Amino acid sequence: MASLTCTKSVLYSSENKNKNWMSTFRFSRWLKFLALILCCVSPLMAIAAEDKAICFDKEGYKFKNDDKKTCSWVAKKWKQRCSFKDKKGKVSKKCINTCRKCKGKRCKDSKKEFKVKDKKKNCSFVKKSLKEGKDVCGRKAGDGIVANYCPKSCARCPTSAPTASPTTPAPTTSAPTPSQPENCAVADRFVSSGSGYCNEVYILNEPWLQIKIYFDATRAGDTFLRAKVTLSRDVWIGLGVTVMGGMIGAKAIVTFDNQIKEYDLERYDPSWVIEQASQDLRNTEFVQKDDFTSMAFEKNLVDDDFHPILAEGHTKFVYAYGYSNLKVKHGSYGSFLLDFSLKDDDAFKTLY
C-alpha cells in the first residue's frame, strides 16, 4: 500500500514537473515572439513618430472640399492662397510646408518613401537628382509635391534660426557695406559717395528667407546703376530685367559658380541660359559664407545687349535663386517692379 502511494506520488510529481516545464517553454516562446514583433515594429513606430515632427502638408486636405484645390493647388500661388480661410481654418495651418510655416526640428527630410509617377522614391533620390541638375522638388508626390517630403533637400527650410524682424546679414569678408551712410541726403539724391548704399528694399522677407536689394538712387540723365543684392542662403542668386514679364527672354545678372556675369535667359533649361559675349558689369564683388550670399555691381542703364533699366519710372525685374552654386534650374523665383529714383519701400512693388 505504501509502495503504491509512493508510486502515485512520484508520478504526480513528475507530471507536475512536465506541466511546469511545458508552461515555461510556452511562455518562453511567447516572449521570443513578442520580442520579434517589437524588433520589427519598433523601427516603423520610430519612423512614424519622427514623421509627426516633420513638416508635411495635411494629407488629403482640400480647400472648401474642392477636389482640385489641394495643397498642390495652393503651391501655385502660395503667397496669395496661404492667407485663405474656410470652415476648417486657415490654409496656412493645413499646408504648412507649402506655406513655409515649418519651424525648428520639423524642417528635415523624411525617411519614408513616397510615390512619384507610381514609382517609390525617397529623399536620397531627390538629393542625387538635384546634384545632377534635375529639379524634382515641384513634382507631384502623394497628395502634395516632393518638397513636402524633402523640405531640407529642396531648400524649403531656414538654414539658420529665423528672426521675426530680419536684419541685414553682415558680410563676412572685406566687403563692409553700411546700409545708411551719413551723406545719403546730399542734394536729395540718396546717393553715397562712399562704400555704402542709401536705399534698401526687401525683395522677399519671410521667416525662412530674406532677399534684399541695396542701391543708390538715380535721376534722369544718369548713365549707370550701382547696386547690391543679398540672400540669406549660400546658393546662387540672379536678378534680371524682363520685358515680357517672365523668365524667358529676360537678361540677368547671376552668380553661377561664384562668378557675377550677365546671361540671356532663352529657356527654362539651364543649358539655354547663355552667357553674354560682352559683359557690361564693373566693380563686381561676390561674398558668400555662413548662409549668406551677396553680389555687388555697377552697370550702364542703357546697354545694347541688355534690356534698358529706367533712371526714373518702374523697371520690371525677375529674381531667382538655386539649390547650390552650380548652374542648375532655380529653386524659386518671382517678379517685381522697382523705381530707382524713389526712396526705399516707395520704390518697390511686388508682382508675384
Side-chain angles (χ1 to χ4, degrees):
M1 191 72 179
S3 176
L4 182 61
T5 302
C6 181
T7 302
K8 286 182 178 180
S9 176
V10 169
L11 288 173
Y12 180 78
S13 175
S14 177
E15 184 179 337
N16 280 345
K17 284 182 179 180
N18 288 337
K19 285 182 178 179
N20 289 336
W21 180 84
M22 288 297 293
S23 297
T24 302
F25 175 72
R26 287 172 183 162
F27 182 70
S28 176
R29 288 179 66 186
W30 271 108
L31 282 178
K32 289 181 180 178
F33 180 68
L34 287 172
L36 181 63
I37 291 175
L38 288 173
C39 286
C40 296
V41 173
S42 292
L44 297 176
M45 291 175 66
I47 291 175
E50 182 186 64
D51 283 343
K52 287 182 180 179
I54 298 174
C55 188
F56 288 124
D57 290 340
K58 183 178 175 72
E59 188 173 353
Y61 173 72
K62 299 169 186 175
F63 179 64
K64 292 186 176 180
N65 292 322
D66 189 327
D67 290 341
K68 294 181 180 180
K69 295 183 178 180
T70 63
C71 290
S72 297
W73 170 80
V74 174
K76 293 177 181 178
K77 293 183 179 180
W78 68 271
K79 288 183 181 179
Q80 176 187 0
R81 292 171 179 171
C82 285
S83 63
F84 291 176
K85 294 180 182 179
D86 62 7
K87 292 181 180 179
K88 299 174 186 176
K90 293 181 179 179
V91 170
S92 61
K93 290 188 176 181
K94 307 299 180 182
C95 305
I96 57 174
N97 184 291
T98 296
C99 294
R100 277 70 169 175
K101 294 296 182 181
C102 308
K103 294 180 181 179
K105 294 181 180 179
R106 291 176 65 86
C107 234
K108 60 182 179 179
D109 289 346
S110 170
K111 291 183 179 180
K112 68 188 290 187
E113 290 185 328
F114 47 87
K115 283 189 176 183
V116 178
K117 293 184 177 180
D118 295 325
K119 293 183 180 179
K120 289 184 178 180
K121 302 292 182 181
N122 56 32
C123 292
S124 296
F125 154 78
V126 175
K127 290 177 183 177
K128 182 180 178 182
S129 298
L130 292 174
K131 286 181 180 179
E132 294 173 351
K134 300 174 183 176
D135 181 12
V136 297
C137 292
R139 292 184 184 177
K140 288 185 178 181
D143 189 48
I145 57 175
V146 170
N148 297 146
Y149 296 88
C150 310
K152 187 174 181 181
S153 293
C154 291
R156 299 291 286 270
C157 303
T159 53
S160 58
T163 56
S165 300
T167 56
T168 305
T172 53
T173 70
S174 58
T177 311
S179 59
Q180 290 291 334
E182 294 179 359
N183 58 342
C184 278
V186 174
D188 194 34
R189 289 301 306 274
F190 307 110
V191 175
S192 168
S193 60
S195 60
Y197 298 84
C198 293
N199 298 272
E200 54 183 85
V201 174
Y202 277 108
I203 298 173
L204 186 66
N205 185 11
E206 299 287 351
W208 51 276
L209 183 70
Q210 298 86 47
I211 304 176
K212 208 168 188 179
I213 184 168
Y214 300 80
F215 62 92
D216 280 345
T218 56
R219 290 290 184 272
D222 285 351
T223 59
F224 71 93
L225 170 69
R226 182 171 170 270
K228 182 179 79 167
V229 181
T230 65
L231 169 72
S232 61
R233 285 188 185 160
D234 49 359
V235 296
W236 66 256
I237 177 73
L239 178 70
V241 179
T242 177
V243 174
M244 300 177 67
M247 287 285 181
I248 296 178
K251 310 287 185 177
I253 303 167
V254 194
T255 64
F256 291 139
D257 301 319
N258 301 345
Q259 298 181 63
I260 303 175
K261 292 184 178 181
E262 295 173 301
Y263 293 85
D264 294 327
L265 309 185
E266 297 186 5
R267 294 185 188 177
Y268 286 115
D269 189 322
S271 63
W272 284 89
V273 177
I274 311 299
E275 181 181 332
Q276 292 185 355
S278 176
Q279 296 286 315
D280 181 51
L281 301 174
R282 301 185 299 276
N283 296 324
T284 59
E285 187 170 48
F286 176 81
V287 177
Q288 188 173 81
K289 192 176 181 181
D290 298 333
D291 298 330
F292 175 75
T293 299
S294 167
M295 69 168 180
F297 59 87
E298 290 181 5
K299 174 168 179 54
N300 288 332
L301 296 175
V302 178
D303 172 11
D304 290 340
D305 296 322
F306 214 86
H307 297 316
I309 300 172
L310 301 179
E312 291 184 339
H314 285 104
T315 300
K316 188 177 290 186
F317 287 90
V318 289
Y319 72 88
Y321 61 89
Y323 298 105
S324 67
N325 286 316
L326 300 177
K327 187 181 176 182
V328 297
K329 191 175 179 181
H330 54 72
S332 188
Y333 65 95
S335 176
F336 62 93
L337 297 174
L338 194 61
D339 186 340
F340 290 107
S341 69
L342 301 179
K343 176 70 174 167
D344 294 336
D345 290 339
D346 292 335
F348 179 83
K349 182 179 180 182
T350 187
L351 293 178
Y352 63 86

